[in-house]
Amino acid sequence: MGTTMGEIDPHAESIDELLITLACRHVFTVETLDGICELSSYYRSDDQGNWTELAQPPPGPTGLRKPPLCPSCRGPITAKRYGRVFKGADLDISEQ
């Protein structure tokens, strides 16, 4: 996490170095957004880091999960890769 754009290798084999542009136009690596969205709480992975199955995400501190937010502007992270995270938080809010 915390890699600058100049350090990104466009020919890298790792998915962690792919870039995602959010709706707010800020750009982050997959690794950074996975950490912000706590994706490992939503999916189980094998020893090689490949997602293998869904996991029951833990509730937030108040019982409600908050939608993931852009670390630069606090806009919502709605990229398709994080749909389960965002929709789960929206559902928690709508059921409140």
Side-chain angles (χ1 to χ4, degrees):
M1 290 177 70
T3 306
T4 65
M5 292 282 285
E7 296 171 338
I8 300 294
D9 177 8
H11 306 293
E13 299 281 328
S14 171
I15 191 169
D16 288 340
E17 291 193 19
L18 291 177
L19 299 174
I20 294 180
T21 303
L22 302 177
C24 59
R25 309 303 294 161
H26 291 113
V27 180
F28 298 95
T29 62
V30 166
E31 178 185 31
T32 299
L33 290 177
D34 283 3
I36 291 167
C37 293
E38 299 176 358
L39 215 56
S40 60
S41 298
Y42 290 80
Y43 300 94
R44 289 193 176 80
S45 60
D46 60 17
D47 295 337
Q48 288 80 35
N50 300 314
W51 303 124
T52 57
E53 61 184 346
L54 300 175
Q56 178 66 38
T62 61
L64 301 174
R65 293 173 293 210
K66 294 183 179 181
L69 302 174
C70 171
S72 295
C73 69
R74 311 309 279 165
I77 296 176
T78 57
K80 289 183 180 183
R81 178 176 176 88
Y82 308 103
R84 185 165 183 240
V85 178
F86 185 79
K87 291 175 183 178
D90 273 358
L91 184 61
D92 282 353
I93 291 168
S94 68
E95 290 178 345
Q96 185 177 20

